[in-house]
Amino acid sequence: MLQDVLDHFQIEELNEGSWIGSDSVQSSTSLIEVYSPVDGSQMASIKPTDKKAYQTIVEELKKASEVWRNIPAPKRGEIVRLFGEKLRKEKNHLGKLISYEMGKSIQEAYGEVQEMIDICDFAVGLSRQLYGLTMHSERPMHRMYEQWHPLGVIGIISAFNFPTAVWSWNSTIAWVCGNVCIWKGSEKTPLTALVCQKLIASILQERGLPQAISCLITGGKEVGEWLSLDKDIALVSATGSSRMGKAVKLNVAQRFGKSLLELGGNNAMIITPNADLGIAIPATYFGAIGTSGQRCTSTRRLIVHQSVLDSVIDKLKSAYAQVKIGNPLDANNHMGPLIDNEAVQNYMAGIEACKKQGGTFIVEGGMLQVPGFEKGSYVSPSIALVNADMAIVQDELFAPLLYIIAYNELKEAIEIQNNVPQGLSSTIMTTNMREAEYFLSHCGSDCGIANVNIGTSGAEIGGAFGGEKETGGGRESGSDAWKNYMRRQTVTINYSADLPLSQGIQFKV
Ligand code: NAD
C-alpha cells in the first residue's frame, strides 16, 4: 500500500468525485471502491457525480468560459506552463500513484507523467501560434482571412490505461485555445484523476482565476452519457473502446455537437526478410507486453515473412523466457498486473478462443500468482501462431496475447495488416528502402500511424495522434490537432466604396 503517496496527495478514505477547480460539489450516490490491481488493497472510496452536481458544474463552466476566453492566449499558456512546472515537481509521486492504481510499470508511469510535461511545453508554444490563413480576395479592395475562436466547454472522457496523459493531451491544448474543460476519467482509475484535478486547481486558485476552468466528474457510462447528450458541451473528446465511441458519436451527432474519438487499435508489425532482427525483436517485446498489452497501440499482430519465421519465433521465445512479472513499482519488472480480475478473465477467454479456432501456442501464458502479491491481477504473456482469416484476429483483446501470421509477398502482408476493422498504429521492420516506401505509400498502411523500424507503441506528442476506421478518425496532441478545439471563421472585409459581388454577379438596385 502506497500510504505515503496517498498522504502526500491528501487522498482520504472517502473522497468527493465532483470538483469545480478546488471546490468539491456534494453528490449522494453509492460509492466507487478503488482497489489496486497490484496487491488487491483498497486504496480509498470515491463518491461518483450525481445529476444535480453535474448540472451545478456545467453552470459554473459556462460562467468560467466567459472569463477565460477573454484572457489572451499567451497568458492562458502561462497557466499551462505553471501546470507543467508543477508536474515536474510531482513526477515521482504521481508516477507511483499511476503505477499502483493502474498497474503499469513504474518506468511507463513516469513516462506517462513525462508525456504530460511534454504536452504542457507544446501547448505553451502553441499559445502564440494559433494561426489563421490569409487569402487574396477576387474583389478589389477586399481582404479575406481565417480566424479561430474557442468552442466553449470541452468534455473529456478517458480510459483506464492512460489515466492522466490523455486528459492532458486534451485539456492543455483546449485551455490555450480558450476553452474550459470538464473531465470524466475512468471509473477504474479515479484517484489519479482526482490528484491531477487538485494540481491544476491549486494553480487556478493561486492566480485568482475562475475555478471552473477545470472541472472533474466521476462515474461510469451513465455519467459519460450526460456529457454526450448535453448541448452545453461543444466538443466531446472520448478515448476508449470502439463500442463506447460509437455510442458517444451517435449521441453527440444527434444534437449537432462535435466529437473527437480515440478508440480501439489492432496494431500490426510487418517483419520482412530485410528486417534487422536486433531491432525488431525488442520492439515486438515492448509493443506486446508493455503496459501488459493494455495500450491502444500495443502490438497485437506480427506479420512475418516465411523466410525469417523460425528465427523470429526462436528469438521471441528466448526474450519471453526472460520476462519479469510482478510488482510494477519494482523497476526490475517488465510487466505489472492487468487492470482487474475481469481483464484476467477476458484474457483467459481469449486464449481459449484462439485455441478453439486453431491457433498454435508458441508461448502459453495465463493467470499468475506473484509471491507476496497473491491478490493482484497478474498474468503471463502468450504468443500464438494463427491464420489471418481466424475471427479472433479481428478483435482487440486488451491483454498480452500476440498473434503471429506468416506471409510470402509484401502486398499480401499489407492486405493482412489492413484487413481489420481498426486503423490505429502500424509498422514495418525493414532495411530495404523500396519495402519501407511501399508500406508508407497510398497502397500501404491504412492506419493513422505508420512507422519504420520502431514499434507500434510509444508515440511522441509532437505528431497528431489517432487512427482511422473503428479507431474513430480523431487526431489529438501535436501538429495541428489544436484546430479540433476551435471554430474556424472566414472573414471578408470590404474597404472600398463599392459593393462588388463575388463571381461577378450583377444585381443592381
Ligand atoms: P471503455 O470504453 O470501457 O471506457 C472508456 C471511458 O468511456 C470510461 O471513462 C467509461 O466510463 C466511458 N464510457 C463507457 N461507455 C460510455 C458511453 N456509452 N458513453 C459515454 N462514456 C462511456 O474503455 P477502457 O476499458 O477504459 O479502455 C480501453 C480501451 O480504450 C481500448 O479499446 C483501447 O484501445 C482504448 N484506448 C484508445 C486510445 C486511443 O488513443 N486510440 C487510448 C487509450 C485507450
Side-chain angles (χ1 to χ4, degrees), residues 207-227:
R207 291 290 165 130
L209 287 163
Q211 292 294 294
I213 290 166
S214 178
C215 295
L216 178 73
I217 52 175
T218 305
K221 184 180 160 191
E222 63 297 339
V223 179
E225 276 170 357
W226 296 339
L227 287 174

Side-chain angles (χ1 to χ4, degrees), residues 383-417:
I383 306 176
L385 196 56
V386 303
N387 289 328
D389 54 10
M390 290 179 186
I392 36 154
V393 177
Q394 298 291 311
D395 296 328
E396 178 197 45
L397 179 68
F398 220 51
L401 169 52
L402 177 68
Y403 302 125
I404 298 187
I405 304 164
Y407 81 91
N408 290 302
E409 299 292 332
L410 183 57
K411 197 163 174 283
E412 176 199 355
I414 291 172
E415 270 169 22
I416 294 171
Q417 187 212 266

Side-chain angles (χ1 to χ4, degrees), residues 158-161 184 187 239-241 244 262-264 296 396 465:
S158 61
F160 76 83
N161 64 331
K184 193 202 87 63
E187 60 274 36
T239 301
S241 58
M244 175 281 286
E262 298 286 351
L263 311 175
C296 51
E396 178 197 45
F465 181 90

